[in-house]
Amino acid sequence: MAKQIGFLGLGNMGGAMAANLVKAGFAVRGYDPAPTARERAAGAGVEVVASPAEAASGAQVLCSSLPEADHAYEAYLGEKGALDAAPEGAVCFDFSTISVEGSLRLAEEAAGRGIRFLDTPVSGSVPHAKAGTLAIMAGGDKKALDAHRDVLAAIGKEVHHFGPNGSGLRMKLVTNHIFAIHIAAIAEGLTLGKKEGLDPARMVDFLKASAVPRILDYKAQPMIEKDYTPTFTVNLMLKDLRMIAALAEGAKVPIPLGTLSRQVYMGAAALGHGNRDQNAIVEYFERGAGLDAAKKHDKS
Ligand code: NAD
């Protein structure tokens, strides 16, 4: 018999996930207080019910995609909440981005009822939720995760387990930290180019073919291995950052992020990394964070 799934929060992300679970053959009972979300989910084959408790009743797996911790408390612990109604042994996958503290509290409440609760936030947006190609970061009981990989497979193609409860959400925050800085950098760079008369669409086309989308592939691994063998040094990038600052000043374009990154490169050079590969700027951050000074495997 198909696994019974309860789904709390049928909004932009949750609605698409629940629809994919239906398509994958699971019996999905969902709850959301918003009429539009309820109608859309019903149209996708979700059995829409009147409370979180009804969604949870008889479910082997409870999923949720809720805006913030307070909504999750309401859905799991409030009146007609899901945790009091779910059967012992049930597993919860919470796809929401809520506070680590909030998630730990829910995990504790669940454990007290013989239910395993995992934080399973996602990377990707509505198109990925619709396509079932989200990337899932999990924290919590790995056995519970492994027992229901079939459920997760309908939602995302990548499922990475990071450790105990809270570690999925910690990874989500790291991911969005890097993501937000990237978006801001793209916005800043495109603005500088536009003011300099470059065509936005052609810039984007070129950037896709440039080294920018491959930074993670060829820079991140040596960075974590502390291999600073020079391919493009901190000093060479400092020269470019100087020219970028001059260009922006001439064009009267504020580039706060460019200025900030130049300061970071200057800081790394001042620490003695000027002639090492530019991924050595991580030393500047690690020093600031009080992490142990790194052993370098510098082959230069
Ligand atoms: P949304 O506002 O579209 O959906 C949230 C749904 O939760 C709403 O339909 C709301 O009515 C419902 N809800 C509120 N209280 C509830 C309760 N007590 N019980 C049941 N349902 C309740 O938001 P979204 O964009 O789908 O985001 C959901 C979560 O996913 C958030 O934590 C968000 O940060 C995260 N997220 C969103 C995206 C994205 O691109 N939208 C990407 C990654 C992660």
Side-chain angles (χ1 to χ4, degrees):
M1 229 179 68
K3 278 183 188 169
Q4 172 77 41
I5 297 177
F7 209 112
L8 312 172
L10 303 165
N12 289 326
M13 296 293 281
M17 294 177 193
N20 279 332
L21 289 168
V22 171
K23 270 191 224 151
F26 296 105
V28 185
R29 232 184 248 159
Y31 170 73
D32 193 302
T36 45
R38 298 167 64 82
E39 274 164 36
R40 197 176 43 190
V46 174
E47 184 194 340
V48 178
V49 293
S51 69
E54 261 187 76
S57 157
Q60 284 123 298
V61 178
L62 259 175
C63 297
S64 48
S65 179
L66 299 156
E68 297 191 43
D70 282 346
H71 304 94
Y73 295 154
E74 179 67 31
Y76 280 101
L77 301 168
E79 201 185 325
K80 297 193 180 161
L83 284 185
D84 279 339
E88 209 179 319
V91 170
C92 306
F93 292 132
D94 182 27
F95 302 111
S96 327
T97 307
I98 62 171
S99 66
V100 172
E101 297 73 26
S103 186
L104 292 178
R105 178 182 161 201
L106 287 165
E108 206 178 306
E109 292 276 359
R113 294 163 172 84
I115 295 167
R116 286 166 295 173
F117 182 100
L118 288 84
D119 45 303
T120 49
V122 296
S123 180
S125 192
V126 175
H128 311 94
K130 285 186 174 161
T133 56
L134 291 163
I136 302 171
M137 300 149 271
D141 189 326
K142 177 133 189 321
K143 279 197 189 124
L145 178 88
D146 288 337
H148 297 295
R149 280 196 182 264
D150 53 343
V151 173
L152 296 175
I155 285 164
K157 292 287 163 264
E158 294 278 340
V159 182
H160 293 229
H161 184 257
F162 285 94
N165 278 104
S167 46
L169 277 166
R170 289 190 168 95
M171 186 60 210
K172 170 69 185 176
L173 295 183
V174 169
T175 306
N176 268 14
H177 171 72
I178 295 172
F179 193 79
I181 293 168
H182 269 71
I183 296 215
I186 291 168
E188 187 174 286
L190 289 179
T191 303
L192 177 59
K194 196 169 162 185
K195 193 134 186 218
E196 282 292 302
L198 296 171
D199 176 58
R202 295 189 67 181
M203 282 195 279
V204 170
D205 257 5
F206 178 76
L207 285 169
K208 284 187 195 165
S210 78
V212 169
R214 286 173 279 135
I215 294 173
L216 268 182
D217 291 339
Y218 81 109
K219 281 288 173 212
Q221 193 62 32
M223 183 183 281
I224 61 171
E225 287 170 2
K226 298 192 175 295
D227 177 357
Y228 305 141
T229 312
T231 57
F232 186 72
T233 62
V234 169
N235 282 340
L236 277 178
M237 187 55 117
L238 264 174
K239 171 227 4 153
D240 292 4
L241 286 166
R242 229 176 6 252
M243 292 192 289
I244 293 162
L247 183 74
E249 192 170 339
K252 294 195 169 31
V253 176
I255 51 162
L257 296 169
T259 308
L260 210 56
S261 77
R262 190 173 167 205
Q263 296 296 317
V264 169
Y265 276 78
M266 280 169 64
L271 289 173
H273 301 296
N275 289 322
R276 299 206 157 95
D277 193 78
Q278 59 170 334
N279 58 31
I281 62 168
V282 73
E283 294 293 331
Y284 170 90
F285 290 107
E286 291 201 355
R287 166 85 61 114
L291 291 177
D292 279 346
K295 278 241 156 47
K296 292 161 286 291
H297 310 293
D298 187 345
K299 297 172 194 110
S300 60

